[in-house]
Amino acid sequence: MDTDGTHETRPPRAGHVPRPAAPPTPSLPPKPSHTPTAGPTLGDWLRHPRSSDGPGVWTYGHVPRAAEEPEETPTRQLISGALISLLAGLLLWSLLWNGYLGAFWLWPLYMFTPDSWAGTLPSVVASYIWYAIVVTVLLIGFGRLGRWPELGRRLLGSRALRAVQPAHPADAARPEAGGPDDPARWPQLRGAGLGEVAERLEAEAGGGRMNDVDYTRIRRAWDSVRVDPSRMRAFADAVRDKGAGACAHPSGARDLPVRAARHDLLARQVLLGTVEDGTRNPYSRRGTALALDPDVLGTSLLAVGPSGTGKTRQLVRPVVESLSLQALAGQAAVVAVGAAGAQLGPDAAFDVVVRVGDPASVYDLDLYGGATDPDEAATLLAEAFVGDVPGIDVRRAATALAQLLGPFRAAYERFPAVPELRELLDGLPTAFDALRRDLAGQHAMLRELDARARQHGAPADPGPALADRVALLDRPAFAGFFDTTGQGRPFSLRALEHPIRVRVDLPERGHADASRMLARLLLAQFNAAAAARTDRSLFALLAFDDASHTLTAGTVRGVQRLRSAHAGVLLTLRTLDDVPEALRTPLLGSVGCRMAFSGVTTWDGKRFAEAWGTEWVETRDVTHRTVFADQPLTRLMHSFRKLVTGKAVTTDAVTVRQVERERWSASDLAHAVPPGHAVLSLTSVRGERAAPLLVRLAGTS
């Protein structure tokens, strides 16, 4: 039962999930600086109110704002109004006190005090009490008339008055600690008759032996029990035996060795930054925290920005870290792809680390993506090998590869290794003759092989181009990699049905072309594997630290289909020029989230501006007109005013219009986005949208 809620389907190969890339962490890992237990306790973190009024809102303690900015009276007008109301109140009190308005205001005093009190102490006390009541009524009335409370908030600041104001309505919905709805007491387990199990988990949390990953993981395991009640006994036994360590991830890890960002696993969010409190952003989102979660990452995200703008540190690393924590909780699977040395997280934070071209790498990469069908494998390879080559039909290339992969697998029950595939694509007679001998009697496969031999060297034959691309992998640096004989430990993206954490390091420095080809292969394999999953309860994410020269027409179409497969991709580019021109518009249209970092070029900004469209805004045109007086006295006053102020007397004519304007123009994106900021638009899998927001990224001042 220890794996219930973390994976329910059998692994694709040897019947187990690949072992972790580093030894498992201790039974109770140290608490990183960003875990909720570093501030509030686990119970306080669970009980803290969460609310959302749009995609990308950091729900932890969020207080919704008004949709429109309230009209604000100028401070000078408030001061003058307060003074006038004060003077009017003093004047009225003076008139009442001196009897100019008669004695009608003293009638209640005369009515409720007996005549026998005249000249006595009780009469004096009652009189002053009545005077205080009248003064209080005058202060309240004229205070409201003069808007004194608003002036006080304006001058003293809202922080000083917030302490005396009632709590926000959202605070009233915090479950009471120790109450029947307290999530730290596991009411769902108590309601199912598992009071003893709930007591054990409550004691684990109270004793500091449970962290946010443990809580989220066990809660997901309980959700799987609700779907299949036959697992209830095994679940209860696992919790009784191991407490907070029950239903552990296959790696045995219960946390990451370090966290570089702030996470809220209860909402499955990672804090990305803060929406700038400026006029460029909608009033309802100004000053609010912005976060990413599977709900928006499921529509895929494209980020563009030059080197040094923080794409890795402020976007890719936090997102990969968030999905890794969710994988430990049995909620997600993540594959991070970057150049060797990219700061995507330590080795101990991943279950599988594939270092392509490094002889010390524990894991290999499955060139065929775990496919067993030759046509499927050929389609994936063709997309990766020649999908970026102009003038070559990917379908013809897939057919040419299938004509070789099918016979080879039929003869040897495996796909060819890289040297063997290169020889077949080059049309070496010895390779063809050996394969023909081993295919004796298999007429269908011999016919496929003969068709490939006839087409070799013909006009428009994709074979030479495929052979040239395979030659990029047939290098001494890759000797021992992409093994198909079963002697290595190849990683296949078919493992996405398990809560696995994977990092793939590509040899970008010494083998740039091979790295880009492998990146295209991984993207094609991810699109196919995510769509082919039988269990889509896990959210799957493929994150590219640099997707330059990775996208093809086929992979862009595959990205569009990921939303329905409960999966997404994170793509970062230095510039859109790293994508073929014909694919730039389809790429921006296929992703639901678009992000432009500071420093993008106007050419890139133009593409984003077109994708974000226009909006109707209200503009005010002010025309100043000089006033010419006819009367001598008026002309004299105007001359004196001009002498004092140095400006002629003018009148202002204000024209208000509704105009259609770009949300963000190409020039604004190129020049008006400060360093450490980005403009980000979001779309959720449910279709909710957030307009482009100027965001101050976390970690920037």
Side-chain angles (χ1 to χ4, degrees):
M1 184 60 202
D2 288 348
T3 59
D4 282 354
T6 57
H7 63 81
E8 292 84 14
T9 57
R10 59 183 178 85
R13 285 195 176 268
H16 66 278
V17 179
R19 290 178 291 177
T25 56
S27 59
L28 184 61
K31 300 182 177 97
S33 59
H34 286 288
T35 54
T37 49
T41 63
L42 181 65
D44 292 338
W45 172 72
L46 292 172
R47 290 185 292 268
H48 201 78
R50 291 168 172 82
S51 62
S52 176
D53 51 5
V57 172
W58 175 256
T59 60
Y60 186 82
H62 173 67
V63 178
R65 301 185 61 181
E68 300 291 339
E69 183 176 8
E71 294 185 4
E72 188 174 280
T73 305
T75 304
R76 178 185 297 180
Q77 183 176 342
L78 286 177
I79 294 176
S80 61
L83 289 176
I84 293 174
S85 64
L86 177 63
L87 293 176
L90 292 175
L91 176 61
L92 179 58
W93 172 248
S94 177
L95 294 175
L96 293 174
W97 181 259
N98 293 296
Y100 290 107
L101 299 181
F104 71 91
W105 64 286
L106 298 174
W107 289 349
L109 178 64
Y110 298 151
M111 292 176 60
F112 293 100
T113 56
D115 295 338
S116 60
W117 283 11
T120 62
L121 180 61
S123 176
V124 175
V125 173
S127 299
Y128 279 102
I129 291 176
W130 177 247
Y131 297 154
I133 293 175
V134 174
V135 170
T136 301
V137 171
L138 291 177
L139 286 175
I140 294 175
F142 283 95
R144 289 189 174 183
L145 184 64
R147 303 165 73 176
W148 294 355
E150 184 177 350
L151 179 61
R153 287 192 296 269
R154 187 76 57 85
L155 297 180
L156 301 179
S158 59
R159 182 175 300 178
L161 298 179
R162 193 174 297 150
V164 299
Q165 291 178 349
H168 190 271
D171 295 338
R174 289 180 59 176
E176 182 182 357
D181 297 330
D182 185 0
R185 301 192 69 235
W186 296 86
Q188 62 273 40
L189 297 184
R190 299 179 188 274
L194 299 178
E196 181 184 354
V197 175
E199 292 289 344
R200 174 67 189 275
L201 293 176
E202 184 180 0
E204 293 281 287
R209 297 182 294 274
M210 178 182 289
N211 60 17
D212 54 343
V213 178
D214 295 330
Y215 180 89
T216 310
R217 185 188 66 250
I218 296 176
R219 191 181 70 167
R220 172 171 170 80
W222 171 248
D223 291 338
S224 69
V225 171
R226 293 173 58 189
V227 176
D228 185 3
S230 64
R231 301 180 178 182
M232 184 175 295
R233 182 175 180 179
F235 171 80
D237 293 341
V239 175
R240 291 191 192 98
D241 294 342
K242 299 184 178 180
C247 311
H249 186 266
S251 67
R254 293 169 55 188
D255 208 340
L256 298 179
V258 65
R259 299 190 189 185
R262 186 180 176 189
H263 306 273
D264 182 13
L265 280 179
L266 202 61
R268 304 181 66 179
Q269 291 186 318
V270 56
L271 182 64
L272 201 66
T274 305
V275 180
E276 276 292 309
D277 190 3
T279 57
R280 297 304 302 259
N281 292 321
Y283 179 77
S284 61
R285 299 298 296 268
R286 296 176 191 172
T288 61
L290 188 136
L292 297 179
D293 54 39
D295 192 43
V296 296
L297 291 174
T299 63
S300 298
L301 189 152
L302 172 67
V304 178
S307 300
T309 53
K311 298 189 298 296
T312 301
R313 178 172 53 89
Q314 296 173 334
L315 175 63
V316 181
R317 170 73 183 271
V319 170
V320 170
E321 191 174 89
S322 176
L323 270 295
S324 297
L325 287 170
Q326 294 178 42
L328 292 179
Q331 297 176 322
V334 60
V335 179
V337 182
Q343 301 299 317
L344 300 181
D347 291 356
F350 297 92
D351 304 312
V352 173
V353 176
V354 182
R355 297 184 177 91
V356 181
D358 186 352
S361 178
V362 177
Y363 286 93
D364 192 1
L365 186 64
D366 189 341
L367 194 65
Y368 301 95
T372 57
D373 179 59
D375 292 327
E376 179 185 358
T379 300
L380 297 177
L381 288 181
E383 197 67 55
F385 289 167
V386 295
D388 64 326
V389 179
I392 293 185
D393 188 354
V394 176
R395 291 175 297 181
R396 294 194 62 181
T399 301
L401 284 169
Q403 291 170 342
L404 297 175
L405 299 183
F408 195 97
R409 183 173 181 81
Y412 306 111
E413 297 183 352
R414 64 177 178 87
F415 287 126
V418 169
E420 296 168 329
L421 181 59
R422 182 183 181 184
E423 292 177 352
L424 291 172
L425 288 171
D426 282 333
L428 293 182
T430 54
F432 270 74
D433 293 341
L435 185 54
R436 282 193 180 94
R437 286 195 303 269
D438 294 329
L439 284 172
Q442 302 189 44
H443 301 289
M445 292 303 169
L446 287 172
R447 186 168 58 250
E448 287 283 284
L449 194 61
D450 291 339
R452 175 87 288 269
R454 288 194 302 270
Q455 295 170 5
H456 180 70
D461 175 31
L466 290 170
D468 290 342
R469 288 303 176 92
V470 173
L472 295 175
L473 302 180
D474 190 18
R475 304 292 302 161
F478 303 125
F481 276 87
F482 317 116
D483 180 71
T484 60
T485 62
Q487 298 178 358
R489 301 179 64 186
F491 165 73
S492 167
L493 283 172
R494 298 288 177 175
L496 290 178
E497 293 195 1
H498 306 282
I500 195 168
R501 305 165 296 163
V502 182
R503 194 188 77 209
V504 180
D505 295 343
L506 300 177
E508 180 68 30
R509 293 182 180 177
H511 304 274
D513 291 336
S515 296
R516 294 167 183 171
M517 187 171 65
L518 291 174
R520 289 193 297 271
L521 179 63
L522 287 170
L523 180 55
Q525 290 180 354
F526 179 84
N527 289 340
R533 290 185 301 169
T534 56
D535 180 11
R536 297 183 178 180
S537 60
L538 300 179
F539 176 73
L541 179 77
L542 176 65
F544 279 101
D545 185 52
D546 184 6
S548 301
H549 307 285
T550 299
L551 296 157
T552 64
T555 53
V556 169
R557 288 192 298 268
V559 168
Q560 294 175 334
R561 296 188 290 266
L562 290 177
R563 184 181 306 191
S564 60
H566 198 205
V569 294
L570 170 59
L571 307 170
T572 63
L573 296 169
R574 287 185 290 269
T575 174
L576 285 173
D577 291 339
D578 291 334
V579 179
E581 184 175 1
L583 294 180
R584 294 169 192 170
T585 299
L587 174 61
L588 287 169
S590 64
V591 297
C593 306
R594 309 175 187 96
M595 190 172 186
F597 281 76
S598 61
V600 298
T601 64
T602 52
W603 294 273
D604 288 344
K606 181 181 178 181
R607 295 285 185 177
F608 278 96
E610 292 174 351
W612 284 329
T614 59
E615 63 180 344
W616 289 97
V617 296
E618 183 180 274
T619 62
R620 293 175 177 264
D621 297 330
V622 181
T623 304
H624 303 284
R625 297 179 180 176
T626 304
V627 178
F628 297 96
D630 297 331
Q631 302 298 326
L633 181 60
T634 306
R635 286 200 300 269
L636 179 62
M637 294 176 60
H638 287 185
S639 300
F640 178 76
R641 179 175 176 180
K642 183 177 181 180
L643 180 65
V644 173
T645 63
K647 297 180 180 179
V649 179
T650 60
T651 59
D652 296 340
V654 181
T655 303
V656 181
R657 296 183 301 171
Q658 292 285 338
V659 298
E660 192 175 12
R661 180 178 297 172
E662 290 180 324
R663 299 177 187 270
W664 279 86
S665 68
S667 179
D668 289 340
L669 289 172
H671 305 293
V673 180
H677 292 63
V679 180
L680 171 65
S681 67
L682 298 172
T683 303
S684 72
V685 292
R686 296 185 300 271
E688 300 173 308
R689 296 180 181 273
L693 303 171
L694 178 61
V695 180
R696 183 175 68 254
L697 299 174
T700 60
S701 58

